[in-house]
Amino acid sequence: MKKELKVFFKIFTTTKDAIEKFMNMLNPVIQNASDDHERLYYHHIYEEEEQRLSRLVELIPLISKFEQEKDEKDFTPTNNEFNRLLQELNLEKFGLHNFVEHLDLALFRFTDTERSTLLNELRDVSYRDYQQVKELLNEINTRFDHDYVDPHAHHDEHHDHLARPASPTVVTKSKRKKGFTVGSLL
Amino acid sequence: MKKELKVFFKIFTTTKDAIEKFMNMLNPVIQNASDDHERLYYHHIYEEEEQRLSRLVELIPLISKFEQEKDEKDFTPTNNEFNRLLQELNLEKFGLHNFVEHLDLALFRFTDTERSTLLNELRDVSYRDYQQVKELLNEINTRFDHDYVDPHAHHDEHHDHLARPASPTVVTKSKRKKGFTVGSLL
């Protein structure tokens, strides 16, 4: 479990930094929104990421505490603090998933080179991290066999709709173009 | 605390039903989306509400258990299960907040009488319930004095951006109209 905790620590520290970059990008967009709908839309995404940030500020030290101070014997489903850790990690798996989608939605709108380059970087890292968190938690949830039910399992069963097609750059670009009309998007 | 639990039970049972109505409304919109951006947008909101629904399916019986089986002496910060309950309630306060915003975003788009009537009904109930949950939890968090920090406190301090203006129907409608252009919105 120590090995997994090290990975979680790295991933959630990385995504905390990514949230801050994304929030900084959204800030002027909210300030300069051209109408109420646009303002609410970005403000809403901003707040959801802000909520996630606040949770990570609590979670990261908890991961660190388990990694550094606890023994393998503490990693049992009868340990309440460990259960809480698992619950939080399961919640932040969805946090990462939703972040990837926030970035994808932003990529439709912020098509200038500077922002789309940063968004694509954040997107690629977050998607990879989401996959790894999902894999690790699947394995951990099986190992500890508590009664956790993954509300997303039925989505993942047949396909992973977050995945980019085989040749990401080319196909994704053309896919995006199809749906994109300048000025028509919120 | 029993009195508050009764209120929480009612509110979260009501919102669970509201989520299902909202998801049913979104389903055909996702199916018939005119482009990738629109599809991702509604699918994303759908999934966030689906995640909330899954959490409520766990939370509602937990509230009920505390209301029916527990004594006031169980409501202490040293009771791990009670702490978990408080944490979940604090999380679902944000769930309700985000739901109100999802409904507001949908109101910009679904302007036909049938859908906007339902959305406005859900919106009014959810906003009132959000306010009540916020108030109850503020009081409870003070009473139990754990180290919970509300990540939204700085938003609420100066204003509540969710609030509708004094004459809700008239002013909100005109406010909405300002930003709304048929066909231009995602």
Side-chain angles (χ1 to χ4, degrees), chain B residues 1 53 81 97 100 118 131 149 161 171:
Chain B
M1 190 68 196
L53 186 61
E81 209 180 3
H97 169 277
V100 173
L118 175 58
Q131 289 299 327
V149 180
H161 69 273
V171 186

Side-chain angles (χ1 to χ4, degrees), chain A residues 35-37 41 44 47-48 50-51 54 80 84 87 97-98 101-102 151 154-155 161 175 184-185, chain B residues 36-37 41 44 47-48 50-51 54 80 84 87 97-98 101-102 151 154-155 161 175 179 184-185:
Chain A
D35 59 46
D36 289 345
H37 189 183
Y41 176 73
H44 172 69
E47 282 193 329
E48 288 189 343
E50 186 179 48
Q51 292 162 17
S54 308
N80 277 308
R84 196 192 131 203
Q87 261 183 346
H97 169 276
N98 297 344
E101 295 194 342
H102 286 162
H154 67 282
H155 282 290
H161 69 272
K175 244 187 101 187
S184 78
L185 297 166
Chain B
D36 289 345
H37 189 182
Y41 176 71
H44 172 69
E47 281 192 331
E48 288 190 343
E50 187 179 47
Q51 291 162 16
S54 309
N80 278 307
R84 195 192 132 203
Q87 260 182 347
H97 169 277
N98 297 344
E101 295 195 341
H102 287 162
H154 67 283
H155 283 291
H161 69 273
K175 245 188 99 185
S184 78
L185 296 167

Side-chain angles (χ1 to χ4, degrees), chain A residues 73-120:
Chain A
K73 73 167 169 39
D74 296 310
F75 306 141
T76 70
T78 52
N79 179 336
N80 277 308
E81 209 178 3
F82 181 64
N83 270 338
R84 196 192 131 203
L85 176 69
L86 286 190
Q87 261 183 346
E88 299 288 320
L89 289 170
N90 279 301
L91 181 67
E92 296 318 326
K93 182 186 76 173
F94 294 118
L96 261 177
H97 169 276
N98 297 344
F99 184 47
V100 173
E101 295 194 342
H102 286 162
L103 294 169
D104 277 342
L105 286 167
L107 271 163
F108 276 104
R109 179 60 154 72
F110 307 141
T111 49
D112 53 289
T113 314
E114 195 188 333
R115 289 188 291 183
S116 66
T117 304
L118 175 58
L119 286 169
N120 269 311

Side-chain angles (χ1 to χ4, degrees), chain A residues 158-170:
Chain A
H158 303 298
H159 69 292
D160 184 342
H161 69 272
L162 284 186
R164 285 183 166 173
S167 335
T169 324
V170 185

Side-chain angles (χ1 to χ4, degrees), chain B residues 127-143:
Chain B
Y127 176 67
R128 205 179 55 220
D129 285 350
Y130 165 64
Q131 289 299 327
Q132 196 173 2
V133 167
K134 199 166 75 169
E135 231 168 78
L136 287 174
L137 285 174
N138 269 345
E139 196 274 313
I140 292 169
N141 288 331
T142 313
R143 203 186 325 158

Side-chain angles (χ1 to χ4, degrees), chain A residues 27-77:
Chain A
N27 234 330
V29 179
I30 298 165
Q31 299 304 322
N32 304 315
S34 58
D35 59 46
D36 289 345
H37 189 183
E38 188 178 316
R39 188 175 306 105
L40 175 61
Y41 176 73
Y42 290 114
H43 190 261
H44 172 69
I45 291 178
Y46 185 95
E47 282 193 329
E48 288 189 343
E49 290 303 332
E50 186 179 48
Q51 292 162 17
R52 188 165 78 97
L53 186 60
S54 308
R55 296 194 307 265
L56 291 176
V57 166
E58 308 278 316
L59 176 61
I60 293 169
L62 190 66
I63 297 172
S64 179
K65 180 179 164 187
F66 266 88
E67 195 207 331
Q68 286 167 20
E69 297 171 21
K70 303 281 181 174
D71 299 322
E72 291 290 334
K73 73 167 169 39
D74 296 310
F75 306 141
T76 70

Side-chain angles (χ1 to χ4, degrees), chain B residues 148-166:
Chain B
Y148 175 76
V149 180
D150 184 340
H152 259 210
H154 67 283
H155 283 291
D156 291 344
E157 218 169 286
H158 303 297
H159 69 290
D160 184 340
H161 69 273
L162 284 184
R164 284 182 167 175

